[in-house]
Amino acid sequence: GAAYSMDLLVGTLLLRPYVFGFLVVFLVVAAADLGARRTLLFASWVWPLAWLAEASSTRTGIPFGLYHYTGATQGRELYLAGVPFWDSLSFTFLAYASFCLARALLGRARGLGVVFLSGLLMMLLDVVIDPLAVRGDRWFLGRIFYYPEGGVYFGVPLSNFLGWAIVGWVIMGGYLA
């Protein structure tokens, strides 16, 4: 019931405090940059889209390539239909960071250039993040997911990076529209 749900929420905070720290920083900085209403709009657009992409990839391989969560933390943190809550939530601050850098590089423009560069920057973030995450058993993260077929880039398939760019383009294109 409600107590179990609260335990899962607290467990999620305890297992992934860095995600919630980044989320708080995103909320404060984005509210100063975009305003509170646009920040909530951004987050309410990005999180469900990211969750859908994650859920789809774990079932069909689209858009990130096929991977599976191990369930190692199930019962200790919040999962939504087999996807850890923190995972899709992290897209909000990663997308915002990419958006800010794209605007800085392009002189705060808001057109297709920002959409393209934001998606590309999101993909480049994942070029660093995913190889570390897939080897989480070597550090505190633990083995939380795996690619059944592995991949050529430190165990990550190249389709994953294309998926990140596409999702980044959809996120920013949809938000700016």
Side-chain angles (χ1 to χ4, degrees), residues 6-126:
M6 186 55 74
D7 287 346
L8 289 178
L9 187 57
V10 170
T12 301
L13 287 166
L14 294 175
L15 281 171
R16 312 285 177 229
Y18 55 93
V19 173
F20 291 96
F22 284 130
L23 181 65
V24 168
V25 170
F26 153 70
L27 291 171
V28 169
V29 172
D33 176 31
L34 305 172
R37 191 172 79 68
R38 284 193 175 107
T39 297
L40 293 176
L41 175 67
F42 185 88
S44 66
W45 165 247
V46 174
W47 177 77
L49 186 62
W51 179 86
L52 186 61
E54 295 281 337
S56 175
S57 289
T58 60
R59 291 158 175 82
T60 69
I62 298 170
F64 304 124
L66 186 64
Y67 63 95
H68 303 292
Y69 287 101
T70 64
T73 59
Q74 206 149 14
R76 295 179 19 220
E77 70 176 315
L78 183 61
Y79 277 68
L80 300 175
V83 176
F85 176 70
W86 61 267
D87 190 46
S88 51
L89 185 63
S90 67
F91 276 73
T92 56
F93 51 81
L94 295 173
Y96 179 72
S98 299
F99 177 52
C100 287
L101 185 54
R103 288 186 300 157
L105 292 171
L106 298 175
R108 298 191 66 84
R110 293 199 177 260
L112 287 178
V114 169
V115 171
F116 179 78
L117 187 55
S118 294
L120 188 64
L121 291 168
M122 276 190 68
M123 182 269 302
L124 289 174
L125 280 170
D126 199 55

